[in-house]
Amino acid sequence: MATSRGGRGGGGVAARVLGYLESRKNLTGSACGVVGLGLTLAGVAGGYWPVVVAGLYGAGALIAPPERVAPPPFDPSEELDVLRGDFARLREYLAEVELPEAAGSRRAGLLELYGALLEPGWVAEVLVTEPEAVHALSRAIRRDVPECVDTYNRTRWWNRLTPGGESPERHLERQLDLLFEEAESVTADLREAEARRQQTHTAYLEERGRS
């Protein structure tokens, strides 16, 4: 067992050594060290040539740019796939919840708009290019709508015990109205983004025609 661990450790050390030999720091330092050797051969460094070579190598290693680690690739379309699954669960949840008639009609309109935005196709292709729109839709589906409905159900129970105060139904209706307005704003932003792309392409074609 000890031999196995040692073998793995030795392999790790060898990999780190090989990685450093191939690094920018070592390559830049080595290039500067070669300059130091050149100075030595030219008789400039004299008896201090080891110090000169080592100093130039160290200076080169310090000024070398750091190694760049490539960021992991993320596919924005995968976020929409996950969001579609969450939206399906939201619809199942809302189908089991009893809501007043007015709030029910608002819920239906809101879900219809969400569904249209998330439907696979060219609309979703526009949506995925707008991170703020995806964030707003995700927040509404995963947090805002469930919280509105759940808060309504809990408040309605308390209101039955101690009647009075503002109507929970009215609050729910207003909240769903606000969420619908937000969804309409997201839709309008996507429409404007698509219009900007069209204008940009038109300008590109006009410029290409002039050239």
Side-chain angles (χ1 to χ4, degrees), residues 8-172:
R8 287 197 295 270
V13 171
R16 288 194 294 271
V17 171
L18 181 60
Y20 179 76
L21 292 176
E22 297 175 345
S23 68
R24 295 178 182 176
K25 286 184 176 295
N26 182 58
L27 295 177
T28 305
S30 298
C32 293
V34 170
V35 174
L37 289 175
L39 294 175
T40 300
L41 294 176
V44 176
Y48 297 100
W49 69 268
V51 177
V52 172
V53 172
L56 287 174
Y57 175 88
L62 286 175
I63 65 174
E67 296 295 324
R68 177 182 177 272
V69 179
F74 291 109
D75 184 0
S77 62
E78 293 179 357
E79 169 66 12
L80 284 193
D81 290 338
V82 175
L83 188 55
R84 289 187 185 104
D86 292 340
F87 177 59
R89 285 190 290 273
L90 175 65
R91 298 188 74 149
E92 292 173 1
Y93 163 68
L94 293 178
E96 298 176 358
V97 176
E98 180 183 351
L99 296 179
E101 183 177 352
S105 62
R106 288 169 169 82
R107 174 190 60 185
L110 187 62
L111 293 181
E112 183 178 357
L113 187 49
Y114 288 161
L117 291 172
L118 289 172
E119 181 71 23
W122 69 268
V123 175
E125 292 173 1
V126 177
L127 174 64
V128 80
T129 63
E130 300 295 327
E132 290 298 325
V134 175
H135 174 70
L137 199 57
S138 172
R139 180 182 58 200
I141 289 173
R142 292 169 173 161
R143 189 186 70 186
D144 294 336
V145 175
E147 185 173 325
C148 289
V149 174
D150 187 56
T151 302
Y152 160 74
N153 280 319
R154 289 185 284 112
T155 306
R156 183 178 58 168
W157 184 84
W158 284 107
N159 199 56
R160 287 172 178 171
L161 293 181
T162 55
E166 293 187 88
S167 166
E169 289 78 8
R170 179 67 190 110
H171 277 291
L172 177 63

Side-chain angles (χ1 to χ4, degrees), residues 176-197:
L176 294 178
D177 283 342
L178 291 171
L179 288 171
F180 189 84
E181 291 172 7
E182 181 185 56
E184 285 186 320
S185 177
V186 168
T187 305
D189 290 342
L190 294 177
R191 182 175 62 245
E192 291 178 5
E194 187 74 351
R196 287 195 299 271
R197 292 188 184 91

